[in-house]
Amino acid sequence: MMQHYVADLHVHSLLSPCAAVEMTPRNIIKHAVLAGIQIIAITDHNACDNVYAAVQAAANSGVTVIPGMELETKEEVHIIVLFDSIKKMEQWNAFIQPFRSGQMNDETRFGAQYVVDADDELVRVKPELLLTAMSIGVAAASREAAALGGVCIASHVDRPVYSLISQLGLIPADASLAAVEVSRRMKPEEAPVLLPAIGRLPVVTASDAHTIRDLLIGPRTVFCLEQPTLAEIAMALAGQGSRKFMA
């Protein structure tokens, strides 16, 4: 039986140096429950170390955590990459390892990058700089993610920086994208008119939360699914069966 699920597919934890320290896995899940969010994707910049803790923290909460990452490609394009399991996420993480810059983080300039456990206890500080572009392009990265069973969504395409439209001005014909995301600055229904370059790709929205306040007030997408899984979300974006979404 189909049900409606409120989803936020773009949320940063305190692993992202630009996110607030309050963005711990337990705190994110706690506030997702309070906000009525039933599906959440943890999507830190170029890393997935806190996904494991978030999945554990969400146990028995009623919130489904989708393993994810916000990848920055060599064109400085941000794309959300989602997987249906931690195992697939780990395979993806291993794939992109050779494309990392090798730069070390400057905490005083960019902020610290905290890895925590499901109890929000500090495990380590990640030394590699996450706020930097990979040396792989958006088309190649999205195709590889799709080959691993992932779903790619172009992040905040209405923003003047770090978006597919701002950087390339078009959707690469050989990219494998399931949808585009618009930020809170634009209504999803306006996107096809204001951003004609997105063509017929489905348009979703998400909070891109870096603080708990972002999470609580940010936009979300409602999916009509049989189960709260990535496979069902992909079907909804593709308009398959009777799955659908309302951004």
Side-chain angles (χ1 to χ4, degrees):
M1 185 174 70
M2 296 292 174
Q3 297 184 48
H4 288 99
Y5 294 92
V6 178
D8 189 341
L9 300 180
H10 189 172
V11 176
H12 293 267
S13 83
L14 72 171
L15 176 58
S16 293
C18 45
V21 177
E22 65 184 1
M23 295 300 281
T24 62
R26 285 176 63 88
N27 210 25
I28 290 171
I29 299 303
K30 171 186 171 182
H31 285 88
V33 171
L34 291 174
I37 301 170
Q38 296 148 305
I39 303 174
I40 199 163
I42 302 299
T43 54
D44 285 306
H45 292 290
N46 295 332
C48 57
D49 304 56
N50 280 343
V51 168
Y52 319 100
V55 170
Q56 293 174 348
N60 302 316
S61 69
V63 177
T64 298
V65 174
I66 303 288
M69 177 184 294
E70 185 172 32
L71 184 76
E72 183 175 338
T73 70
K74 67 180 182 182
E75 304 96 339
E76 298 186 339
V77 169
H78 287 190
I79 58 172
I80 296 298
V81 187
L82 306 173
F83 292 93
D84 62 1
S85 69
I86 287 179
K87 181 179 180 180
K88 291 285 183 65
M89 187 83 245
E90 289 174 337
Q91 291 177 316
W92 166 255
N93 197 42
F95 166 75
I96 64 168
Q97 188 63 30
F99 303 104
R100 298 185 183 280
S101 71
Q103 293 178 257
M104 293 294 106
N105 186 32
D106 179 350
E107 288 189 12
T108 60
R109 181 179 180 188
F110 299 111
Q113 304 171 157
Y114 298 114
V115 179
V116 297
D117 63 20
D119 294 320
D120 291 351
E121 295 294 330
L122 179 65
V123 174
R124 65 182 184 277
V125 177
K126 198 171 181 71
E128 302 90 353
L129 177 61
L130 300 179
L131 288 179
T132 186
M134 298 276 187
S135 60
I136 185 172
V138 60
S142 62
R143 290 199 307 270
E144 179 64 23
L148 288 173
V151 170
C152 291
I153 299 173
S155 305
H156 39 63
V157 292
D158 56 312
R159 285 181 51 182
V161 293
Y162 298 123
S163 82
L164 197 53
I165 304 304
S166 69
Q167 302 307 108
L168 301 182
L170 51 76
I171 305 293
D174 52 351
S176 181
L177 298 172
V180 299
E181 172 207 273
V182 293
S183 73
R184 69 191 68 203
R185 303 174 185 178
M186 180 178 288
K187 295 179 180 178
E189 60 269 26
E190 296 174 338
V193 175
L194 298 177
L195 301 170
I198 66 174
R200 296 185 177 181
L201 279 171
V203 181
V204 298
T205 188
S207 70
D208 191 7
H210 288 70
T211 67
I212 291 298
R213 184 176 185 276
D214 290 342
L215 179 67
L216 293 175
I217 68 172
R220 300 144 193 165
T221 298
V222 177
F223 288 91
C224 186
L225 313 169
E226 281 193 355
Q227 298 177 351
T229 65
L230 183 61
E232 290 270 327
I233 289 173
M235 291 179 68
L237 293 173
Q240 296 176 346
S242 52
R243 284 83 174 170
K244 57 186 178 182
F245 69 96
M246 294 147 279

XYZ file of all heavy atoms in Angstrom, residues 156-159 163 165-166 171 180-183 186-188 190-200 203:
203
model
N 21.271 21.964 -5.688
C 20.946 23.406 -5.735
C 21.294 24.055 -7.085
O 22.134 24.963 -7.143
C 21.629 24.149 -4.598
C 23.043 23.703 -4.278
N 24.098 23.814 -5.164
C 23.556 23.146 -3.166
C 25.206 23.356 -4.606
N 24.913 22.936 -3.401
N 20.619 23.620 -8.132
C 20.940 24.103 -9.482
C 20.570 25.565 -9.692
O 20.945 26.163 -10.705
C 20.262 23.231 -10.568
C 20.857 21.845 -10.599
C 18.748 23.168 -10.361
N 19.839 26.144 -8.751
C 19.482 27.559 -8.858
C 20.525 28.470 -8.228
O 20.398 29.704 -8.324
C 18.131 27.811 -8.170
C 18.132 27.352 -6.711
O 18.578 26.218 -6.450
O 17.690 28.124 -5.842
N 21.539 27.913 -7.592
C 22.524 28.754 -6.923
C 23.572 29.271 -7.920
O 23.872 28.617 -8.928
C 23.214 27.977 -5.800
C 22.337 27.805 -4.572
C 23.039 27.052 -3.466
N 24.342 27.616 -3.159
C 25.169 27.118 -2.248
N 24.789 26.049 -1.544
N 26.333 27.661 -2.021
N 26.930 24.862 -8.760
C 25.784 24.146 -9.321
C 26.074 23.801 -10.780
O 26.908 24.432 -11.436
C 24.518 24.997 -9.227
O 24.447 25.925 -10.291
N 24.265 24.291 -13.345
C 23.918 25.367 -14.268
C 24.929 26.512 -14.185
O 25.346 27.070 -15.205
C 22.494 25.878 -13.989
C 21.484 24.718 -14.064
C 22.123 26.965 -14.983
C 21.496 23.949 -15.356
N 25.366 26.868 -12.966
C 26.312 27.984 -12.837
C 27.673 27.625 -13.436
O 28.356 28.475 -13.994
C 26.491 28.375 -11.364
O 27.182 27.373 -10.630
N 23.029 20.508 -18.867
C 23.107 19.150 -18.325
C 23.912 18.320 -19.308
O 23.496 18.154 -20.468
C 21.703 18.529 -18.154
C 20.804 19.422 -17.301
C 21.830 17.128 -17.565
C 21.209 19.550 -15.861
N 17.120 17.017 -10.488
C 17.860 18.185 -10.029
C 17.181 18.691 -8.756
O 15.981 18.480 -8.551
C 17.918 19.302 -11.091
C 18.611 18.827 -12.349
C 16.525 19.830 -11.410
N 17.972 19.349 -7.932
C 17.455 19.915 -6.687
C 17.514 21.430 -6.771
O 18.506 21.980 -7.268
C 18.317 19.430 -5.520
C 18.026 20.092 -4.174
C 19.253 20.071 -3.285
O 19.452 19.073 -2.584
O 20.031 21.063 -3.307
N 16.475 22.087 -6.294
C 16.533 23.541 -6.132
C 16.550 23.854 -4.644
O 16.032 23.095 -3.824
C 15.351 24.263 -6.822
C 15.450 24.120 -8.328
C 14.014 23.780 -6.297
N 17.152 24.988 -4.308
C 17.256 25.390 -2.918
C 15.971 26.061 -2.463
O 15.019 26.226 -3.243
C 18.435 26.348 -2.745
O 18.107 27.607 -3.306
N 14.095 28.983 -4.503
C 13.262 28.842 -5.703
C 12.198 27.776 -5.475
O 12.469 26.715 -4.916
C 14.132 28.443 -6.908
C 13.349 28.281 -8.215
S 14.433 27.864 -9.620
C 15.252 29.447 -9.864
N 10.988 28.044 -5.928
C 9.940 27.037 -5.871
C 10.184 26.002 -6.971
O 10.467 26.384 -8.116
C 8.567 27.688 -6.051
C 8.189 28.633 -4.916
C 6.825 29.259 -5.167
C 6.456 30.211 -4.026
N 5.145 30.867 -4.264
N 10.070 24.728 -6.645
C 10.352 23.697 -7.655
C 9.550 23.873 -8.940
O 10.066 23.617 -10.035
C 9.985 22.401 -6.930
C 10.206 22.712 -5.484
C 9.799 24.141 -5.312
N 8.773 26.488 -10.379
C 9.298 27.596 -11.178
C 10.529 27.176 -11.981
O 10.905 27.856 -12.951
C 9.684 28.767 -10.268
C 8.533 29.404 -9.518
C 8.998 30.468 -8.529
O 10.187 30.432 -8.127
O 8.175 31.334 -8.163
N 11.176 26.108 -11.550
C 12.472 25.745 -12.112
C 12.461 25.513 -13.629
O 13.349 26.006 -14.336
C 13.024 24.515 -11.386
N 11.491 24.784 -14.185
C 11.531 24.549 -15.634
C 11.482 25.835 -16.456
O 12.025 25.890 -17.567
C 10.285 23.677 -15.877
C 10.060 22.981 -14.577
C 10.411 24.013 -13.540
N 10.840 26.872 -15.914
C 10.740 28.142 -16.631
C 11.990 28.991 -16.404
O 12.571 29.542 -17.351
C 9.486 28.922 -16.178
C 9.441 30.301 -16.834
C 8.234 28.129 -16.518
N 12.422 29.080 -15.143
C 13.552 29.945 -14.806
C 14.896 29.312 -15.143
O 15.897 30.009 -15.325
C 13.493 30.295 -13.314
C 12.251 31.065 -12.865
C 12.261 31.293 -11.363
C 12.158 32.404 -13.605
N 14.917 27.992 -15.214
C 16.157 27.261 -15.522
C 15.903 26.276 -16.663
O 15.893 25.058 -16.475
C 16.650 26.496 -14.279
C 16.953 27.316 -13.035
C 17.181 26.398 -11.836
C 18.179 28.197 -13.262
N 15.671 26.779 -17.861
C 15.306 25.878 -18.972
C 16.379 24.834 -19.292
O 16.064 23.803 -19.898
C 15.079 26.846 -20.137
C 15.799 28.110 -19.755
C 15.701 28.192 -18.274
N 17.614 25.089 -18.853
C 18.684 24.128 -19.140
C 18.468 22.779 -18.467
O 19.057 21.779 -18.879
C 20.033 24.704 -18.698
N 17.606 22.736 -17.447
C 17.396 21.450 -16.763
C 16.534 20.512 -17.593
O 16.420 19.318 -17.263
C 16.760 21.641 -15.375
C 15.335 22.196 -15.500
C 17.631 22.526 -14.495
C 14.590 22.278 -14.163
N 15.923 21.037 -18.652
C 15.119 20.182 -19.525
C 13.956 19.542 -18.784
O 13.258 20.202 -18.031
N 13.799 18.255 -18.986
C 12.660 17.545 -18.397
C 13.037 16.761 -17.142
O 12.255 15.904 -16.688
C 12.040 16.612 -19.433
C 11.448 17.345 -20.625
C 10.737 16.375 -21.551
N 10.103 17.083 -22.667
C 9.396 16.493 -23.610
N 9.233 15.170 -23.573
N 8.860 17.198 -24.577
N 12.306 17.766 -10.641
C 12.831 18.790 -9.733
C 12.380 18.478 -8.308
O 11.180 18.372 -8.037
C 12.339 20.198 -10.133
C 12.934 21.246 -9.186
C 12.717 20.508 -11.582
